[in-house]
Amino acid sequence: IVTPDGRFIIYNSQLNDSLQLWRMNLDGSDPKQLTSGPNIDYTAISPDSRWIVFSTLESENLWKLSIEGGTAVQLTDYYSVNPRISPDGKWIACEYQEENDRIRRTAIIPFEGGKPSKIVDLPGGTNNFNWSKDSRSLIYTNTGDGVNNNRDFVGNLWSFHLDGTSAPKQLTNFNTEDIYKFDWSADGKNLVLARGTTVSDVV
């Protein structure tokens, strides 16, 4: 992940037998290992480029680490992975699962950590989501009609307003292929998507 200020690339490397966070300059020079604990899973960078929020494969909860390295601070003590930091830097959206419950939901927690301030169910149960640029909605992919869980295997982007006052709104109108990943440009005016079709056979 490139930091918003354009100084560094943050990446995972298994160079020393475990999956750890590393930082290097934008030109690939001066690699520096930032963590040495449990295997790193999902990673996000704060909008001010000062903090890295990540989850681990072992503990499956969220941690915060300075971009300079040091000791990571634990943010959650419950199942919480796949963090996405809001553009205003105040919130973290993540996959959330209550104890003894198999259903994964989406939690909104304060950037400082703690219990969820809001728990929502994104239609389709997707784990492919990100924030809107105004930090008021979650943009997510769905291969159904955006409201129900029926799947036609054609992916589109939808907007889910976190105040709960409006229905999900469809943002794209593709007729073929699924959306694997997506992200906004820094100014929020352009959208980058990785799209394609997964083919499987019985053998």
Side-chain angles (χ1 to χ4, degrees):
I1 304 174
V2 177
T3 56
D5 62 7
R7 294 179 60 204
F8 301 118
I9 297 174
I10 306 299
Y11 63 100
N12 291 353
S13 175
Q14 207 166 359
L15 183 64
N16 297 322
D17 298 326
S18 63
L19 201 59
Q20 300 299 324
L21 277 178
W22 288 66
R23 187 194 78 193
M24 63 181 174
N25 295 332
L26 201 61
D27 62 2
S29 64
D30 194 24
K32 176 183 179 181
Q33 185 172 344
L34 300 179
T35 61
S36 58
N39 287 277
I40 303 299
D41 194 8
Y42 298 97
T43 306
I45 310 297
S46 63
D48 61 8
S49 301
R50 295 176 56 198
W51 300 98
I52 306 170
V53 174
F54 62 90
S55 55
T56 66
L57 291 174
E58 284 80 1
S59 63
E60 294 183 323
N61 43 45
L62 298 183
W63 298 75
K64 183 173 72 172
L65 176 71
S66 168
I67 199 75
E68 302 299 332
T71 302
V73 176
Q74 187 171 352
L75 298 179
T76 61
D77 59 1
Y78 48 85
Y79 181 94
S80 44
V81 298
N82 195 13
R84 298 287 184 267
I85 304 172
S86 62
D88 62 11
K90 297 179 179 179
W91 304 98
I92 301 171
C94 63
E95 290 182 64
Y96 167 80
Q97 191 171 347
E98 295 181 354
E99 190 174 358
N100 301 321
D101 190 346
R102 297 178 60 186
I103 299 176
R104 291 193 184 185
R105 309 176 73 186
T106 303
I108 309 298
I109 68 173
F111 186 73
E112 295 76 20
K115 298 299 182 183
S117 298
K118 183 184 292 288
I119 300 172
V120 300
D121 294 304
L122 294 181
T126 183
N127 62 358
N128 192 6
F129 59 87
N130 213 328
W131 288 90
S132 63
K133 285 302 175 182
D134 61 5
S135 301
R136 299 173 62 187
S137 303
L138 292 180
I139 311 300
Y140 65 98
T141 61
N142 194 5
T143 55
D145 60 7
V147 179
N148 301 307
N149 291 341
N150 56 305
R151 300 176 64 85
D152 56 15
F153 300 103
V154 175
N156 277 289
L157 292 180
W158 290 73
S159 174
F160 185 96
H161 207 293
L162 291 173
D163 65 5
T165 60
S166 56
K169 178 182 178 182
Q170 188 170 351
L171 303 180
T172 62
N173 191 28
F174 296 116
N175 296 313
T176 61
E177 301 184 322
D178 198 359
I179 298 174
Y180 300 137
K181 293 289 183 180
F182 71 94
D183 203 358
W184 302 100
S185 60
D187 60 9
K189 296 180 179 179
N190 292 285
L191 183 66
V192 180
L193 304 105
R195 301 172 60 233
T197 301
T198 301
V199 178
S200 60
D201 295 302
V202 176
V203 296

